[in-house]
Amino acid sequence: MFGTGTGSGSGLLESGRNRYLCPSGDGGVRSIREVTVISGLPASRRTERLELLDDEKHILSFRVVGGEHRLNNYLSVTSVNEFEKDGKVYTVVLESYIVDIPAWE
């Protein structure tokens, strides 16, 4: 299942800011998950589809395809890279995203 957090094996995951349910798919590309937003953002839930999952290159991409939110045409790509400098290992997480800017109400 795509996402991070803890779960009971029932398809439900929780992290500090969101609650996830994966109602369709096997957790691979094209799987759908329902996200209940707990963080206080102006949203209550959203539906996401996994677009890319590359374990070898450490890249994950998802698109918001529905729900109650303001993320029109949202597409996110996240990569995790590790490097070593002076004997220490560092990790860099980079998230890039595309989203339509909503009209002001």
Side-chain angles (χ1 to χ4, degrees):
M1 184 173 317
F2 66 105
T4 59
T6 59
S8 62
S10 64
L12 179 67
L13 286 171
E14 291 193 34
S15 73
R17 296 183 300 181
N18 298 310
R19 182 172 293 128
Y20 307 96
L21 177 62
C22 196
S24 126
D26 60 2
V29 174
R30 292 185 295 283
S31 291
I32 301 290
R33 72 177 178 183
E34 301 290 334
V35 180
T36 302
V37 180
I38 302 171
S39 67
L41 294 172
S44 59
R45 65 175 188 82
R46 66 180 181 261
T47 304
E48 300 174 353
R49 181 180 62 228
L50 183 61
E51 299 288 320
L52 173 69
L53 183 61
D54 189 324
D55 288 334
E56 188 174 307
K57 294 181 180 177
H58 307 286
I59 300 173
L60 174 134
S61 175
F62 71 90
R63 179 180 306 274
V64 175
V65 295
E68 298 168 4
H69 57 81
R70 295 184 179 187
L71 301 174
N72 294 324
N73 295 316
Y74 184 91
L75 173 66
S76 171
V77 178
T78 303
S79 63
V80 180
N81 297 286
E82 185 178 277
F83 69 95
E84 186 175 336
K85 182 177 179 182
D86 299 327
K88 295 182 181 181
V89 177
Y90 297 87
T91 302
V92 176
V93 178
L94 177 64
E95 179 183 18
S96 303
Y97 62 91
I98 299 170
V99 65
D100 289 350
I101 298 172
W104 290 97
E105 296 178 4

